Amino acid sequence: MHIVVCIKQVPDSAQIRVHPVTNTIMRQGVPTIINPYDLFSLEEALRLRDAFGGKVTVLTMGPPMAEDSLRKALGIGADDAVLLTDRFFAGSDTLATSFALATAIQKIMETEPVDMVFAGKQTIDGDTAQVGPGICCRLGMQQLTYVQKVESVDPAKREIVVHRRSEGGVQVLKTSLPCMITMLEGTNQIRYGTMDDMFRAARADVRVWSAAAAGIEDMTRCGLRGSPTVVKKVFAPKARAQKARPVDGEGAEALAAAAIEAIFASQPKLESDLLKQSAGY
Amino acid sequence: MKKQLPEKFINYKHVWVFVELERGEVHPVSWELLGEGRKLADKLGVQLAGVVMGPPAATTRAAVEGSYRYGADTVYLMEDPLLTDYRNEPFTKAMTDLVNTYQPEILLLGATTLGRDLAGSVATTLATGLTADCTELAIDDEGSLAATRPTFGGSLLCTIHTLNFRPQMATIRPRVMAMPEAKDGEVSGGLIEVPLNMKEDDVITKILDFIADNTTNKAQLAYADVVVAGGMGLGKPENFKLVKDLAEVLGAEYGGSRPLVQKGWIDSDRQIGQTGKTIRPKLYIAAGISGAIQHRVGVEGADLILAINTDPNAPIMDFAHLAIIGDAMTILPALTEAFRKRLSVNRMAG
Ligand SMILES: Cc1cc2nc3c(=O)[nH]c(=O)nc-3n(C[C@H](O)[C@H](O)[C@H](O)COP(=O)(O)OP(=O)(O)OC[C@H]3O[C@@H](n4cnc5c(N)ncnc54)[C@H](O)[C@@H]3O)c2cc1C
Ligand SMILES: Cc1cc2nc3c(=O)[nH]c(=O)nc-3n(C[C@H](O)[C@H](O)[C@H](O)COP(=O)(O)OP(=O)(O)OC[C@H]3O[C@@H](n4cnc5c(N)ncnc54)[C@H](O)[C@@H]3O)c2cc1C
């Protein structure tokens, strides 16, 4: 079983600051991490490899320093890593990103067939959840998003059964390999790599591919030029003109009474609605 | 970058909304989007269409009627047993065939699990732009869709255009747009029925089972009229009961900020904010919540926000309407008691 896991290096958003004057993101010095959602997919891929044999290849597109994320993934237990890096990729939207990643996966398939592709449910920076479906669609694979459990895999029959979260319930789906899976968060816990993995990760050869090396011929499909979406404007949310009005009163009871008066004064219909809703108390 | 619409897109016209129908029910976000789509279509002077896909059934026809009721001029209808339950393959084919044949300039979908799954493959197949999770839509001076969305965990907003490709696609979260008024009485409009032209054998993915959620205990935050929420200011998990007590008296849903979910005080479907639920209640009471931007973007649609916080300078004061400056541990029980009295007195009176 050969599984490709797409991971994205993202800024640790807990530490992102917005410049108070220019309203731009201050990226300097912000540490980067593997997109947290990708770790659930990586772990699931590693479990399948452990159960059925084969290998896990991690793939990322990004600047040269994105190699750090690949080494981290190797340290956790991935077997092989490919870094897609080229100035042609700068400014890619999701369409251009999925084009580059899908082309690279096809390149990988030339030497080793791929049975499954895993991607994260979404990222914490771009947060579109569009790249996984984009890759899948380009590769003509079966698409399994928001998976909360891989129920069974039959490598001989090339079949897989998963539980997929949908509105109002869980779909139990059976499909054929190859397929693309995005895992739901909280479905498993990423492992700690073994000592062996850590040593191997430090020494491993990460394959570094330019656009041309990945088999991309038409550079106009990459980066800004290959991106139909254009970011026109970035701005901070505007503050409301008025601040919250504090209610007056001494002690909790008086404050509560004053708040209730103020609530019903500003929302006259609310009281009758509440009476209907809370009937029974 | 300037708009230079290629020749092949010149005839792309009208605004479409995907009407999300699952197991006989239309997701309310579809009506919200028809309300918003109506405004865009009027601004452009074009028609608004609903796109309904479902099995041959009364519920599918009801979705068609609902589309007219919420403002659609026309409905594109694909009725086929293959469209009974959502699967990516037949729905992607259905939508891309419709777009290629009838050429809309704008296509809107709800940012639900279904909508996001579908939008990604439709946009890729059509090789057009897709703006995710928008919070605001507008038509700019050149007649292009300006789609605004939060980024970097909500700390900034950005406006995105799809200048040179059609359709301009966007997904929008449930509850971000207001629910429009439904038209009363008889409604009608154009109906264009299109066959799917696909057989079950063509679809590789099979649905073995559907395990419906146990809804008795499930949070219905997004569509609740009143929501009471707690944050880290509650200090310890036991104190969360104070939030639940107030919610119970108000017949309200309860929820919380993200750290409470991370600490396991509440279930993840009760998280409010950027990475949780967007809510739009008539009344939102937030106790011990600082009002970080990621929380704020999920609650700004509330009609009235009451903040309970010891800190008069907490960021939540920038977007709440009313505040009780005080200790949530004493204020919450006092509010619960006061509401209980007021509502029971008035119930007897009424
Ligand atoms: C402020 C801002 C707003 C944006 N809004 C949009 C928008 O609305 N529409 C749009 O098309 N683009 C948008 N983009 C561009 C988009 O963020 C980039 O194309 C980005 O490279 C991929 O999108 P994402 O982060 O949303 O990934 P998602 O689609 O959320 O990622 C899902 C999964 O795909 C995989 N993946 C994603 N990127 C990579 C990668 N580089 N290498 C390996 N695996 C990867 C990962 O497994 C990831 O978990 C925006 C960018 C910015 C900065
Ligand atoms: C990518 C990303 C996504 C996120 N998504 C979300 C999201 O969807 N939803 C969300 O909520 N957060 C989200 N967050 C987290 C967010 O940034 C904040 O960290 C979080 O909202 C803070 O939670 P809080 O207000 O409960 O806690 P704190 O910020 O710690 O605030 C506690 C508040 O309680 C007050 N307080 C203290 N004692 C009392 C008392 N006795 N009585 C009354 N008040 C008291 C304090 O003055 C303070 O204002 C996200 C963060 C990131 C990076």
Side-chain angles (χ1 to χ4, degrees):
Chain A
M1 181 108 37
H2 183 204
I3 307 174
V4 172
V5 183
C6 298
I7 60 173
K8 186 183 181 192
Q9 187 174 52
V10 296
D12 186 348
S13 67
Q15 307 202 26
I16 282 195
R17 294 280 173 278
V18 177
H19 193 279
V21 178
T22 58
N23 275 335
T24 49
I25 296 280
M26 309 199 308
R27 288 177 197 251
Q28 285 95 328
V30 177
T32 55
I33 52 174
I34 297 178
N35 175 41
Y37 291 104
D38 299 352
L39 296 177
F40 301 107
S41 288
L42 177 59
E43 173 62 27
E44 204 61 33
L46 293 172
R47 287 183 189 187
L48 290 172
R49 177 205 60 190
D50 293 347
F52 298 101
K55 69 181 254 190
V56 168
T57 301
V58 282
L59 167 67
T60 195
M61 177 185 97
M65 68 167 203
E67 190 179 322
D68 291 350
S69 291
L70 294 173
R71 288 203 190 272
K72 269 184 220 154
L74 290 168
I76 294 169
D79 304 282
D80 198 358
V82 176
L83 169 66
L84 207 53
T85 189
D86 200 311
R87 66 189 168 81
F88 286 111
F89 296 136
S92 297
D93 74 354
T94 56
L95 198 75
T97 301
S98 69
F99 170 71
L101 290 170
T103 312
I105 293 170
Q106 271 160 342
K107 185 80 188 173
I108 292 171
M109 287 169 153
E110 282 175 12
T111 49
E112 298 163 287
V114 171
D115 303 292
M116 290 186 208
V117 174
F118 276 82
K121 184 186 94 166
Q122 64 199 64
T123 63
I124 59 167
D125 57 347
D127 185 23
T128 62
Q130 288 166 196
V131 172
I135 294 171
C136 180
C137 180
R138 291 174 188 282
L139 295 175
M141 293 183 172
Q142 292 303 304
Q143 177 167 319
L144 302 167
T145 53
Y146 307 103
V147 170
Q148 61 183 45
K149 185 171 154 196
V150 175
E151 168 101 8
S152 63
V153 180
D154 186 333
K157 284 205 198 131
R158 299 192 58 71
E159 276 176 0
I160 180 168
V161 176
V162 302
H163 289 205
R164 170 179 185 269
R165 167 118 303 268
S166 75
E167 299 287 320
V170 173
Q171 288 182 321
V172 182
L173 297 174
K174 179 163 119 177
T175 196
S176 303
L177 303 182
C179 66
M180 190 278 315
I181 296 179
T182 72
M183 293 299 294
L184 217 55
E185 66 274 21
T187 42
N188 56 34
Q189 180 118 48
I190 189 74
R191 64 190 61 190
Y192 291 103
T194 61
M195 263 323 188
D196 277 355
D197 287 328
M198 311 254 190
F199 285 127
R200 197 173 43 81
R203 284 181 275 112
D205 278 329
V206 167
R207 288 187 272 171
V208 181
W209 290 354
S210 65
I216 296 173
E217 281 155 16
D218 184 358
M219 299 302 164
T220 65
R221 298 181 70 183
C222 300
L224 264 185
R225 279 199 293 170
S227 298
T229 64
V230 180
V231 178
K232 272 258 174 122
K233 193 166 81 172
V234 180
F235 56 103
K238 48 180 178 297
R240 246 168 30 98
Q242 267 179 329
K243 284 219 161 203
R245 180 163 65 80
V247 297
D248 289 327
E250 270 308 317
E253 257 129 71
L255 285 168
I260 291 180
E261 286 310 324
I263 288 169
F264 290 140
S266 88
Q267 301 285 311
K269 249 188 98 268
L270 189 63
E271 186 157 12
S272 58
D273 292 345
L274 284 182
L275 283 171
K276 271 181 247 147
Q277 265 185 41
S278 62
Y281 291 101
Chain B
M1 229 180 272
K2 206 61 201 115
K3 178 167 154 185
Q4 288 173 314
L5 204 54
E7 194 65 29
K8 62 179 173 180
F9 294 129
I10 297 287
N11 292 323
Y12 278 60
K13 211 171 154 185
H14 307 307
V15 178
W16 284 16
V17 169
F18 170 65
V19 177
E20 181 175 329
L21 182 64
E22 240 192 335
R23 286 177 313 286
E25 281 193 43
V26 174
H27 195 293
V29 70
S30 312
W31 307 145
E32 294 159 15
L33 294 189
L34 280 172
E36 188 63 19
R38 184 74 263 166
K39 292 182 211 159
L40 302 178
D42 290 347
K43 178 100 195 269
L44 287 164
V46 300
Q47 293 210 329
L48 173 67
V51 179
V52 176
M53 300 170 183
T59 46
T60 305
R61 293 290 164 159
V64 172
E65 194 198 303
S67 303
Y68 300 138
R69 217 168 268 298
Y70 287 97
D73 302 305
T74 308
V75 171
Y76 292 90
L77 173 64
M78 277 214 188
E79 259 184 334
D80 194 293
L82 286 194
L83 301 170
T84 304
D85 288 301
Y86 176 73
R87 282 177 293 176
N88 180 268
E89 214 176 346
F91 275 74
T92 300
K93 173 173 162 44
M95 185 58 98
T96 48
D97 281 0
L98 282 175
V99 167
N100 284 327
T101 312
Y102 297 98
Q103 310 188 332
E105 61 192 297
I106 292 175
L107 172 58
L108 308 178
L109 302 92
T112 58
T113 48
L114 192 167
R116 283 180 150 208
D117 186 276
L118 178 62
S121 26
V122 168
T124 309
T125 310
L126 297 170
T128 190
L130 170 58
T131 308
D133 257 5
C134 303
T135 51
E136 206 181 313
L137 300 175
I139 302 295
D140 75 359
D141 297 341
E142 292 189 325
S144 297
L145 180 69
T148 298
R149 61 178 305 238
T151 62
F152 295 102
S155 47
L156 288 178
L157 296 167
C158 69
T159 302
I160 293 182
H161 291 238
T162 298
L163 291 181
N164 306 331
F165 298 83
R166 292 293 179 271
Q168 306 159 84
M169 289 181 61
T171 61
I172 298 94
R173 287 186 144 212
R175 294 308 262 162
V176 166
M177 302 299 175
M179 180 66 80
E181 288 286 332
K183 289 181 195 148
D184 283 334
E186 283 283 297
V187 285
S188 66
L191 182 63
I192 297 163
E193 295 187 58
V194 185
L196 174 64
N197 291 328
M198 202 177 194
K199 296 186 304 293
E200 180 59 43
D201 288 349
D202 301 333
V203 189
I204 296 173
T205 300
K206 305 292 176 197
I207 300 179
L208 302 184
D209 198 3
F210 182 83
I211 308 161
D213 289 335
N214 174 3
T215 45
T216 42
N217 237 331
K218 263 267 176 293
Q220 302 294 338
L221 276 171
Y223 289 89
D225 276 342
V226 181
V227 175
V228 185
M232 288 311 290
L234 294 176
K236 46 183 188 217
E238 299 83 82
N239 289 336
F240 195 80
K241 184 170 179 303
L242 304 176
V243 169
K244 282 191 185 168
D245 289 347
L246 177 56
E248 187 171 312
V249 164
L250 292 172
E253 280 288 350
Y254 67 88
S257 62
R258 186 165 85 157
L260 269 54
V261 173
Q262 289 170 328
K263 288 180 182 294
W265 297 11
I266 56 173
D267 288 342
S268 63
D269 64 345
R270 295 197 180 270
Q271 180 185 320
I272 297 169
Q274 164 91 10
T275 46
K277 294 285 188 311
T278 301
I279 62 172
R280 219 185 162 84
K282 294 175 183 151
L283 174 62
Y284 177 50
I285 301 179
I289 294 180
S290 60
I293 187 73
Q294 297 89 354
H295 190 80
R296 174 179 176 166
V297 294
V299 305
E300 273 183 314
D303 292 339
L304 185 69
I305 301 175
L306 168 67
I308 304 171
N309 204 303
T310 42
D311 177 6
N313 297 315
I316 196 166
M317 301 304 165
D318 290 340
F319 60 95
H321 305 90
L322 285 173
I324 302 181
I325 308 301
D327 181 355
M329 265 53 78
T330 57
I331 301 290
L332 282 171
L335 267 179
T336 305
E337 212 29 56
F339 269 119
R340 191 197 305 279
K341 279 207 192 101
R342 169 104 177 207
L343 294 174
S344 64
V345 165
N346 285 340
R347 189 170 300 118
M348 283 192 291

